[in-house]
Amino acid sequence: IAGITQAPTSQILAAGRRMTLRCTQDMRHNAMYWYRQDLGLGLRLIHYSNTAGTTGKGEVPDGYSVSRANTDDFPLTLASAVPSQTSVYFCASSLIGTSAPGELFFGEGSRLTVL
Amino acid sequence: AQKVTQAQTEISVVEKEDVTLDCVYETRDTTYYLFWYKQPPSGELVFLIRRNSFDEQNEISGRYSWNFQKSTSSFNFTITASQVVDSAVYFCARGGGSGNTGKLIFGQGTTLQVKP
């Protein structure tokens, strides 16, 4: 059972470089999310997608972009990385639109260090 | 912003002690959902529970129990007879309301250390 697969697991990146974090789910969930986790701040939503073809901004969207070309994939792109984007990034998915929101299923995280 | 606050940054207990993790939330929504997630040292996030705003009945699952008090906007989590394997970061989160019901607002997390 794969669930959500994130890649890479870990990456060190020079400031100014472009980076795409990949996320794939095999649960056919309609909604997907990107969160970043920082010590003392918990998890903060970067971008989300309710369904393929649509995306929305979360709490901390600046410097990030996403796309949702199909149900399964939801890549997160840092166009020009900055040190403040050093974080652990979690992709998640859930089933929405039913009577109650489903739980979020998380990937294992991608640790990104921007130097 | 409608926040979720976990005032306890770190808690340390000795095995077999009971421990309660506090969670206070803000919301203007009538319908909302509350969650707890566990993040063990391995880093993955594990779903523990979801409650909706219309159900204030306390829930017990093994050594875990949850106390939802709408009057105080709190959703506290108690571990009875703690074990070393309970050592983790625990996150409380709120979701639901209007729009996308899948977006969650997380608290800052409480690091629980259970010593043998």
Side-chain angles (χ1 to χ4, degrees):
Chain A
I1 300 175
I4 294 185
T5 302
Q6 290 185 232
T9 304
S10 179
Q11 182 75 45
I12 299 173
L13 188 66
R17 298 296 295 268
R18 180 184 179 89
M19 177 71 193
T20 295
L21 303 180
R22 300 182 298 279
C23 175
T24 300
Q25 55 115 350
D26 62 3
M27 296 176 283
R28 308 302 293 174
H29 286 166
N30 48 4
M32 296 187 74
Y33 315 84
W34 275 104
Y35 285 86
R36 60 177 288 175
Q37 182 179 7
D38 303 288
L39 192 64
L41 298 176
L43 283 86
R44 293 178 293 167
L45 182 65
I46 304 171
H47 285 286
Y48 67 95
S49 168
N50 287 347
T51 188
T54 69
T55 62
K57 293 181 179 181
E59 184 183 353
V60 288
D62 294 341
Y64 305 95
S65 63
V66 291
S67 61
R68 187 90 183 277
N70 56 61
T71 298
D72 298 342
D73 301 301
F74 191 44
L76 176 74
T77 297
L78 290 66
S80 179
V82 295
S84 62
Q85 292 177 311
T86 294
S87 187
V88 180
Y89 292 85
F90 286 95
C91 180
S93 71
S94 72
L95 200 58
I96 64 168
T98 58
S99 58
E103 64 183 90
L104 291 187
F105 289 82
F106 285 89
E108 295 188 353
S110 296
R111 183 175 295 275
L112 183 65
T113 302
V114 182
L115 302 176
Chain B
Q2 300 178 53
K3 297 188 302 183
V4 175
T5 302
Q6 296 178 252
Q8 304 148 307
T9 304
E10 293 183 15
I11 301 175
S12 181
V13 299
V14 176
E15 206 169 20
K16 298 184 183 177
E17 284 185 22
D18 299 346
V19 58
T20 295
L21 282 60
D22 297 332
C23 174
V24 175
Y25 62 91
E26 300 173 4
T27 185
R28 293 184 290 272
D29 298 314
T30 303
T31 302
Y32 52 91
Y33 296 84
L34 299 168
F35 299 78
W36 276 94
Y37 281 83
K38 174 182 179 180
Q39 186 178 43
S42 52
E44 75 272 22
L45 285 147
V46 179
F47 167 81
L48 294 178
I49 190 171
R50 177 189 66 211
R51 298 306 300 274
N52 75 56
S53 53
F54 295 107
D55 183 4
E56 287 192 70
Q57 196 169 17
N58 292 333
E59 183 158 339
I60 298 174
S61 175
R63 296 183 296 107
Y64 295 171
S65 62
W66 291 269
N67 182 278
F68 177 26
Q69 297 276 351
K70 209 168 180 178
S71 60
T72 57
S73 297
S74 65
F75 186 45
N76 297 338
F77 172 33
T78 297
I79 302 174
T80 302
S82 59
Q83 300 176 1
V84 172
V85 293
D86 296 326
S87 297
V89 182
Y90 291 86
F91 291 98
C92 179
R94 182 191 63 76
S98 59
N100 182 339
T101 58
K103 292 187 294 182
L104 298 188
I105 303 295
F106 283 83
Q108 306 93 316
T110 296
T111 300
L112 174 65
Q113 183 181 31
V114 181
K115 299 178 181 178

Coordinates of all heavy atoms in Angstrom, one line a residue, chain A residues 4-84:
Chain A
I4 N 0.7 7.9 -0.1 CA 1.3 9.1 -0.7 C 2.8 9.0 -0.7 O 3.4 8.6 0.3 CB 0.9 10.4 0.2 CG1 -0.6 10.6 0.1 CG2 1.7 11.6 -0.3 CD1 -1.0 11.9 0.8
T5 N 3.3 9.3 -1.9 CA 4.8 9.2 -2.1 C 5.3 10.6 -2.4 O 4.8 11.3 -3.3 CB 5.1 8.3 -3.3 OG1 4.5 7.0 -3.0 CG2 6.6 8.1 -3.5
Q6 N 6.3 11.0 -1.6 CA 7.0 12.2 -1.8 C 8.4 12.0 -2.3 O 9.1 11.1 -1.8 CB 7.0 13.1 -0.5 CG 5.7 13.6 -0.1 CD 5.8 14.5 1.1 OE1 5.1 14.3 2.1 NE2 6.7 15.5 1.0
A7 N 8.9 12.9 -3.1 CA 10.3 12.9 -3.5 C 10.8 14.3 -3.8 O 10.0 15.1 -4.3 CB 10.4 12.0 -4.8
P8 N 12.0 14.6 -3.5 CA 13.0 13.7 -2.8 C 12.7 13.7 -1.3 O 11.9 14.5 -0.8 CB 14.3 14.4 -3.0 CG 14.0 15.9 -3.1 CD 12.6 15.9 -3.8
T9 N 13.3 12.7 -0.6 CA 13.2 12.6 0.8 C 13.9 13.8 1.5 O 13.5 14.3 2.5 CB 13.7 11.3 1.3 OG1 13.1 10.3 0.6 CG2 13.5 11.1 2.8
S10 N 15.1 14.1 0.9 CA 15.9 15.2 1.5 C 16.7 15.8 0.4 O 17.0 15.2 -0.6 CB 16.9 14.6 2.5 OG 17.7 15.5 3.1
Q11 N 16.9 17.2 0.5 CA 17.6 17.9 -0.5 C 18.2 19.1 0.1 O 17.6 19.8 0.9 CB 16.6 18.3 -1.6 CG 17.2 19.1 -2.8 CD 17.9 18.1 -3.7 OE1 17.5 17.1 -4.1 NE2 19.1 18.5 -4.1
I12 N 19.5 19.3 -0.3 CA 20.2 20.6 0.0 C 20.2 21.4 -1.3 O 20.6 20.9 -2.3 CB 21.6 20.3 0.6 CG1 21.5 19.5 1.9 CG2 22.3 21.6 0.8 CD1 22.8 19.1 2.4
L13 N 19.9 22.7 -1.2 CA 19.7 23.5 -2.4 C 20.4 24.8 -2.2 O 20.3 25.4 -1.1 CB 18.2 23.7 -2.6 CG 17.7 24.4 -3.8 CD1 18.0 23.5 -5.0 CD2 16.2 24.6 -3.7
A14 N 21.0 25.3 -3.2 CA 21.6 26.7 -3.1 C 20.5 27.7 -3.3 O 19.6 27.5 -4.1 CB 22.6 26.8 -4.2
A15 N 20.6 28.8 -2.6 CA 19.6 29.9 -2.7 C 19.6 30.4 -4.2 O 20.6 30.4 -4.8 CB 20.0 31.1 -1.8
G16 N 18.4 30.7 -4.6 CA 18.2 31.1 -6.0 C 17.9 30.0 -7.0 O 17.4 30.3 -8.1
R17 N 18.1 28.8 -6.6 CA 17.8 27.7 -7.5 C 16.3 27.4 -7.5 O 15.6 27.6 -6.5 CB 18.6 26.4 -7.1 CG 20.1 26.6 -7.1 CD 20.5 26.8 -8.6 NE 20.3 25.7 -9.4 CZ 21.2 24.7 -9.7 NH1 22.3 24.7 -9.0 NH2 20.9 23.8 -10.5
R18 N 15.9 26.7 -8.5 CA 14.5 26.3 -8.6 C 14.4 24.8 -8.2 O 15.3 24.0 -8.4 CB 14.0 26.4 -10.1 CG 12.6 25.9 -10.4 CD 12.4 26.0 -11.9 NE 11.0 25.6 -12.3 CZ 10.0 26.4 -12.3 NH1 10.1 27.7 -12.1 NH2 8.8 25.9 -12.7
M19 N 13.3 24.5 -7.5 CA 13.2 23.2 -6.9 C 11.7 22.7 -7.0 O 10.8 23.5 -6.7 CB 13.6 23.1 -5.5 CG 13.5 21.8 -4.8 SD 14.7 20.6 -5.4 CE 14.0 19.1 -4.8
T20 N 11.5 21.5 -7.4 CA 10.1 21.0 -7.4 C 10.1 19.7 -6.5 O 10.9 18.8 -6.7 CB 9.7 20.6 -8.8 OG1 9.6 21.8 -9.6 CG2 8.3 19.9 -8.8
L21 N 9.2 19.8 -5.6 CA 8.9 18.6 -4.7 C 7.8 17.9 -5.3 O 6.7 18.4 -5.6 CB 8.6 19.1 -3.3 CG 9.6 19.9 -2.6 CD1 9.2 20.3 -1.2 CD2 11.0 19.2 -2.5
R22 N 7.9 16.6 -5.5 CA 6.9 15.8 -6.1 C 6.0 15.1 -5.1 O 6.5 14.7 -4.0 CB 7.6 14.7 -7.0 CG 8.4 15.4 -8.1 CD 9.0 14.4 -9.1 NE 9.9 13.4 -8.5 CZ 11.2 13.7 -8.2 NH1 11.7 14.9 -8.5 NH2 11.9 12.8 -7.7
C23 N 4.8 14.9 -5.4 CA 3.8 14.2 -4.6 C 2.9 13.4 -5.4 O 2.2 14.0 -6.3 CB 3.1 15.2 -3.7 SG 1.8 14.4 -2.7
T24 N 2.7 12.2 -5.1 CA 1.8 11.3 -5.8 C 1.0 10.5 -4.8 O 1.5 9.9 -3.9 CB 2.5 10.3 -6.8 OG1 3.3 11.1 -7.7 CG2 1.6 9.4 -7.5
Q25 N -0.3 10.4 -5.1 CA -1.2 9.6 -4.2 C -1.9 8.6 -5.1 O -2.2 8.8 -6.2 CB -2.2 10.5 -3.5 CG -3.0 11.3 -4.3 CD -4.5 11.0 -4.3 OE1 -4.9 10.0 -3.8 NE2 -5.3 11.9 -4.9
D26 N -2.2 7.4 -4.5 CA -2.9 6.4 -5.2 C -4.2 6.0 -4.5 O -4.7 4.9 -4.7 CB -2.0 5.1 -5.3 CG -1.6 4.5 -4.0 OD1 -2.1 5.0 -2.9 OD2 -0.9 3.6 -4.0
M27 N -4.8 6.9 -3.8 CA -6.0 6.7 -3.0 C -7.2 7.3 -3.7 O -8.3 7.2 -3.2 CB -5.9 7.2 -1.6 CG -4.8 6.5 -0.8 SD -4.5 7.2 0.8 CE -3.6 8.6 0.4
R28 N -7.0 7.9 -4.8 CA -8.1 8.6 -5.6 C -8.8 9.7 -4.8 O -10.0 9.9 -5.0 CB -9.1 7.6 -6.1 CG -8.5 6.4 -6.9 CD -7.6 6.9 -8.1 NE -8.4 7.6 -9.1 CZ -7.9 8.2 -10.2 NH1 -6.6 8.3 -10.4 NH2 -8.7 8.7 -11.1
H29 N -8.0 10.3 -3.8 CA -8.6 11.4 -3.1 C -8.8 12.6 -4.0 O -7.9 12.9 -4.8 CB -7.7 11.7 -1.9 CG -7.8 10.7 -0.8 ND1 -6.9 10.7 0.2 CD2 -8.7 9.7 -0.5 CE1 -7.3 9.7 1.1 NE2 -8.4 9.1 0.6
N30 N -9.8 13.3 -3.8 CA -10.0 14.5 -4.6 C -9.2 15.7 -4.2 O -8.8 16.5 -5.0 CB -11.5 14.9 -4.7 CG -12.2 14.9 -3.4 OD1 -11.6 14.7 -2.3 ND2 -13.5 15.2 -3.4
A31 N -8.9 15.8 -2.9 CA -8.2 17.0 -2.4 C -6.8 16.6 -2.0 O -6.5 15.6 -1.5 CB -8.9 17.5 -1.2
M32 N -5.9 17.6 -2.3 CA -4.5 17.4 -1.9 C -4.0 18.7 -1.3 O -4.5 19.8 -1.6 CB -3.6 17.0 -3.1 CG -4.0 15.6 -3.6 SD -2.9 15.0 -4.9 CE -1.5 14.5 -3.9
Y33 N -2.9 18.6 -0.5 CA -2.4 19.8 0.2 C -0.9 19.7 0.3 O -0.3 18.6 0.3 CB -3.0 19.7 1.7 CG -4.4 19.4 1.8 CD1 -4.9 18.1 1.7 CD2 -5.4 20.4 1.8 CE1 -6.2 17.8 1.8 CE2 -6.7 20.1 1.9 CZ -7.1 18.8 1.9 OH -8.5 18.5 1.9
W34 N -0.3 20.9 0.5 CA 1.1 21.0 0.9 C 1.2 21.8 2.2 O 0.7 22.9 2.3 CB 2.0 21.7 -0.2 CG 2.4 20.7 -1.2 CD1 1.9 20.6 -2.5 CD2 3.5 19.8 -1.1 NE1 2.6 19.7 -3.2 CE2 3.6 19.1 -2.4 CE3 4.4 19.5 -0.1 CZ2 4.6 18.2 -2.6 CZ3 5.4 18.5 -0.4 CH2 5.4 17.9 -1.6
Y35 N 1.9 21.2 3.2 CA 2.1 21.9 4.4 C 3.6 22.0 4.6 O 4.4 21.1 4.2 CB 1.6 21.1 5.6 CG 0.1 21.1 5.8 CD1 -0.8 20.3 5.1 CD2 -0.5 22.1 6.6 CE1 -2.2 20.3 5.3 CE2 -1.9 22.1 6.8 CZ -2.7 21.3 6.1 OH -4.1 21.3 6.3
R36 N 4.0 23.0 5.4 CA 5.4 23.0 5.8 C 5.4 23.0 7.4 O 4.5 23.5 8.0 CB 6.2 24.2 5.3 CG 5.6 25.6 5.7 CD 6.5 26.7 5.2 NE 7.8 26.8 6.0 CZ 8.8 27.6 5.7 NH1 8.7 28.5 4.6 NH2 9.9 27.7 6.4
Q37 N 6.4 22.2 7.9 CA 6.5 22.1 9.3 C 7.8 22.8 9.8 O 8.9 22.5 9.4 CB 6.5 20.6 9.8 CG 6.6 20.5 11.3 CD 6.6 19.0 11.7 OE1 6.7 18.1 10.9 NE2 6.5 18.8 13.0
D38 N 7.6 23.7 10.7 CA 8.7 24.4 11.4 C 8.6 24.4 12.9 O 7.5 24.5 13.4 CB 8.7 25.9 10.9 CG 8.8 26.0 9.3 OD1 9.9 25.7 8.8 OD2 7.8 26.3 8.7
L39 N 9.7 24.2 13.5 CA 9.7 24.1 15.0 C 9.0 25.3 15.6 O 9.3 26.4 15.3 CB 11.2 24.0 15.5 CG 11.4 23.6 16.9 CD1 10.8 22.2 17.1 CD2 12.8 23.7 17.3
G40 N 8.1 25.0 16.5 CA 7.4 26.0 17.2 C 6.2 26.6 16.5 O 5.4 27.4 17.1
L41 N 6.0 26.2 15.2 CA 5.0 26.8 14.4 C 4.0 25.7 14.0 O 3.0 26.0 13.3 CB 5.5 27.5 13.2 CG 6.4 28.7 13.5 CD1 7.0 29.3 12.2 CD2 5.6 29.8 14.2
G42 N 4.3 24.5 14.2 CA 3.4 23.4 13.8 C 3.4 23.3 12.3 O 4.4 23.6 11.6
L43 N 2.3 22.8 11.7 CA 2.2 22.7 10.3 C 1.3 23.8 9.7 O 0.3 24.1 10.3 CB 1.5 21.4 9.9 CG 2.4 20.1 10.0 CD1 2.4 19.6 11.4 CD2 1.9 19.0 9.1
R44 N 1.8 24.4 8.7 CA 1.1 25.5 8.0 C 0.8 25.2 6.6 O 1.7 24.7 5.9 CB 1.9 26.8 8.1 CG 2.1 27.3 9.6 CD 2.9 28.6 9.7 NE 4.3 28.3 9.3 CZ 5.2 29.3 9.0 NH1 4.8 30.5 9.1 NH2 6.4 28.9 8.7
L45 N -0.4 25.5 6.2 CA -0.8 25.1 4.8 C -0.2 26.1 3.8 O -0.3 27.3 3.9 CB -2.3 25.2 4.8 CG -3.0 24.8 3.4 CD1 -2.7 23.3 3.1 CD2 -4.5 25.0 3.5
I46 N 0.4 25.6 2.8 CA 1.0 26.4 1.7 C 0.0 26.6 0.6 O -0.4 27.7 0.2 CB 2.3 25.7 1.2 CG1 3.3 25.5 2.3 CG2 2.9 26.6 0.1 CD1 4.5 24.6 1.9
H47 N -0.4 25.5 0.0 CA -1.4 25.5 -1.1 C -2.2 24.2 -1.0 O -1.8 23.3 -0.4 CB -0.7 25.5 -2.5 CG -0.1 26.8 -2.9 ND1 -0.9 27.9 -3.3 CD2 1.2 27.2 -3.0 CE1 -0.1 28.9 -3.6 NE2 1.2 28.5 -3.5
Y48 N -3.4 24.3 -1.6 CA -4.2 23.1 -1.6 C -4.9 23.0 -3.0 O -4.9 24.0 -3.8 CB -5.3 23.2 -0.5 CG -6.3 24.3 -0.6 CD1 -7.5 24.0 -1.2 CD2 -6.0 25.6 -0.2 CE1 -8.4 25.0 -1.4 CE2 -6.9 26.6 -0.4 CZ -8.1 26.3 -0.9 OH -9.1 27.3 -1.1
S49 N -5.5 21.9 -3.2 CA -6.3 21.6 -4.4 C -7.5 20.8 -4.1 O -7.4 19.7 -3.5 CB -5.5 20.9 -5.5 OG -6.3 20.5 -6.5
N50 N -8.7 21.3 -4.3 CA -9.9 20.6 -4.0 C -10.2 19.5 -5.0 O -10.8 18.5 -4.7 CB -11.1 21.5 -4.0 CG -11.2 22.4 -2.8 OD1 -10.4 22.2 -1.9 ND2 -12.0 23.4 -2.9
T51 N -9.7 19.7 -6.3 CA -10.0 18.7 -7.3 C -9.0 19.0 -8.4 O -8.4 20.1 -8.5 CB -11.4 18.7 -7.8 OG1 -11.7 17.6 -8.7 CG2 -11.7 20.0 -8.5
A52 N -8.8 18.0 -9.3 CA -7.9 18.2 -10.4 C -8.3 19.5 -11.2 O -9.5 19.7 -11.5 CB -7.9 17.0 -11.3
G53 N -7.3 20.3 -11.6 CA -7.6 21.5 -12.3 C -7.8 22.7 -11.5 O -7.8 23.8 -12.1
T54 N -7.9 22.6 -10.2 CA -8.1 23.8 -9.3 C -7.1 23.8 -8.2 O -6.6 22.7 -7.7 CB -9.5 23.8 -8.7 OG1 -9.6 22.7 -7.7 CG2 -10.6 23.6 -9.7
T55 N -6.6 25.0 -7.8 CA -5.7 25.1 -6.7 C -6.1 26.4 -5.9 O -6.8 27.2 -6.4 CB -4.2 25.3 -7.2 OG1 -4.1 26.5 -7.9 CG2 -3.8 24.1 -8.0
G56 N -5.6 26.4 -4.7 CA -5.9 27.6 -3.8 C -4.8 27.9 -2.9 O -3.9 27.0 -2.7
K57 N -4.7 29.1 -2.4 CA -3.7 29.5 -1.5 C -4.0 29.2 -0.1 O -5.1 29.3 0.3 CB -3.4 31.0 -1.7 CG -2.9 31.4 -3.0 CD -2.6 32.9 -3.1 CE -2.1 33.3 -4.4 NZ -1.8 34.8 -4.5
G58 N -3.0 28.7 0.6 CA -3.2 28.5 2.0 C -2.7 29.7 2.9 O -2.7 30.8 2.4
E59 N -2.1 29.4 4.0 CA -1.7 30.4 5.0 C -0.4 31.0 4.5 O -0.2 32.2 4.8 CB -1.5 29.7 6.3 CG -1.2 30.7 7.5 CD -1.0 29.9 8.8 OE1 -1.3 28.7 8.8 OE2 -0.5 30.6 9.8
V60 N 0.5 30.3 4.0 CA 1.9 30.8 3.6 C 2.2 30.5 2.2 O 3.2 29.7 1.9 CB 2.9 30.2 4.6 CG1 2.8 30.9 6.0 CG2 2.8 28.7 4.7
P61 N 1.6 31.0 1.2 CA 1.8 30.6 -0.2 C 2.9 31.3 -0.9 O 3.4 30.9 -2.0 CB 0.5 31.1 -0.9 CG 0.0 32.3 -0.1 CD 0.5 32.0 1.4
D62 N 3.4 32.4 -0.4 CA 4.4 33.2 -1.1 C 5.7 32.5 -1.3 O 6.3 31.9 -0.4 CB 4.7 34.5 -0.3 CG 3.5 35.4 -0.2 OD1 2.6 35.3 -1.1 OD2 3.5 36.3 0.6
G63 N 6.1 32.5 -2.6 CA 7.4 31.9 -3.0 C 7.2 30.4 -3.5 O 8.1 29.8 -3.9
Y64 N 5.9 30.0 -3.5 CA 5.6 28.6 -3.9 C 4.5 28.6 -4.9 O 3.6 29.5 -4.9 CB 5.1 27.8 -2.7 CG 5.9 27.8 -1.5 CD1 5.7 28.6 -0.4 CD2 6.9 26.8 -1.4 CE1 6.5 28.6 0.7 CE2 7.7 26.7 -0.2 CZ 7.5 27.6 0.8 OH 8.3 27.5 1.9
S65 N 4.5 27.6 -5.8 CA 3.4 27.4 -6.7 C 3.1 26.0 -6.8 O 4.0 25.1 -6.5 CB 3.8 28.0 -8.1 OG 4.9 27.3 -8.7
V66 N 1.9 25.7 -7.2 CA 1.5 24.3 -7.4 C 0.7 24.1 -8.7 O 0.2 25.1 -9.3 CB 0.6 23.8 -6.2 CG1 1.4 23.7 -4.9 CG2 -0.6 24.7 -6.0
S67 N 0.5 22.9 -9.1 CA -0.3 22.6 -10.2 C -1.0 21.3 -9.9 O -0.5 20.4 -9.1 CB 0.5 22.5 -11.5 OG 1.4 21.5 -11.4
R68 N -2.2 21.1 -10.5 CA -2.9 19.8 -10.3 C -3.5 19.4 -11.7 O -4.7 19.6 -12.0 CB -4.0 20.0 -9.3 CG -4.7 18.7 -8.9 CD -4.1 18.1 -7.7 NE -4.7 16.8 -7.4 CZ -5.8 16.7 -6.7 NH1 -6.5 17.7 -6.2 NH2 -6.3 15.5 -6.4
A69 N -2.6 18.8 -12.5 CA -3.0 18.4 -13.8 C -3.9 17.2 -13.8 O -4.7 17.0 -14.7 CB -1.8 18.1 -14.7
N70 N -3.8 16.3 -12.8 CA -4.6 15.1 -12.7 C -4.9 14.8 -11.2 O -4.4 15.5 -10.3 CB -3.9 13.9 -13.4 CG -2.5 13.7 -12.8 OD1 -2.4 13.4 -11.6 ND2 -1.5 13.8 -13.6
T71 N -5.6 13.8 -10.9 CA -6.0 13.5 -9.6 C -4.8 13.1 -8.7 O -4.8 13.4 -7.5 CB -7.1 12.4 -9.6 OG1 -8.2 12.8 -10.3 CG2 -7.5 12.0 -8.1
D72 N -3.9 12.4 -9.3 CA -2.8 11.7 -8.5 C -1.7 12.6 -8.1 O -1.0 12.4 -7.1 CB -2.3 10.5 -9.2 CG -3.4 9.5 -9.4 OD1 -4.5 9.6 -8.8 OD2 -3.2 8.6 -10.3
D73 N -1.3 13.6 -8.9 CA -0.1 14.3 -8.7 C -0.3 15.8 -8.3 O -1.2 16.5 -8.8 CB 0.7 14.3 -10.0 CG 1.0 12.9 -10.5 OD1 1.7 12.2 -9.7 OD2 0.6 12.5 -11.6
F74 N 0.6 16.2 -7.4 CA 0.4 17.6 -6.9 C 1.8 18.1 -6.6 O 2.2 18.2 -5.4 CB -0.5 17.6 -5.6 CG -0.9 18.9 -5.2 CD1 -1.4 19.9 -6.1 CD2 -0.9 19.3 -3.8 CE1 -1.8 21.1 -5.6 CE2 -1.3 20.5 -3.4 CZ -1.8 21.4 -4.3
P75 N 2.6 18.5 -7.6 CA 3.9 19.0 -7.3 C 3.9 20.4 -6.7 O 3.1 21.3 -7.1 CB 4.6 19.0 -8.7 CG 3.4 19.2 -9.6 CD 2.2 18.5 -9.0
L76 N 5.0 20.7 -5.9 CA 5.2 22.0 -5.3 C 6.5 22.6 -5.8 O 7.5 21.9 -5.7 CB 5.2 21.9 -3.8 CG 5.6 23.1 -3.0 CD1 4.4 24.1 -3.0 CD2 6.0 22.8 -1.5
T77 N 6.4 23.8 -6.4 CA 7.6 24.4 -6.9 C 8.1 25.6 -6.2 O 7.2 26.5 -5.9 CB 7.4 24.7 -8.4 OG1 7.1 23.5 -9.2 CG2 8.6 25.4 -9.0
L78 N 9.4 25.7 -5.9 CA 10.0 26.9 -5.4 C 10.7 27.5 -6.5 O 11.7 26.9 -7.0 CB 10.9 26.6 -4.2 CG 10.4 26.1 -2.9 CD1 9.7 24.7 -3.0 CD2 11.5 26.0 -1.9
A79 N 10.2 28.6 -7.0 CA 10.8 29.2 -8.2 C 12.2 29.7 -8.0 O 13.1 29.5 -8.9 CB 9.9 30.3 -8.7
S80 N 12.5 30.3 -6.9 CA 13.8 30.8 -6.5 C 14.0 30.7 -5.0 O 13.6 31.5 -4.3 CB 14.0 32.2 -7.0 OG 15.2 32.8 -6.7
A81 N 14.6 29.6 -4.6 CA 14.6 29.2 -3.2 C 15.4 30.2 -2.4 O 16.4 30.8 -2.8 CB 15.2 27.8 -3.0
V82 N 14.9 30.5 -1.1 CA 15.5 31.3 -0.2 C 15.7 30.6 1.1 O 15.0 29.6 1.4 CB 14.7 32.6 0.1 CG1 14.6 33.5 -1.2 CG2 13.3 32.3 0.6
P83 N 16.7 31.0 2.0 CA 16.9 30.2 3.2 C 15.7 30.1 4.1 O 15.6 29.0 4.8 CB 18.0 31.1 3.9 CG 18.8 31.7 2.7 CD 17.7 32.0 1.7
S84 N 14.8 31.0 4.1 CA 13.6 30.9 5.0 C 12.7 29.8 4.5 O 11.7 29.4 5.2 CB 12.8 32.2 5.0 OG 12.4 32.5 3.7

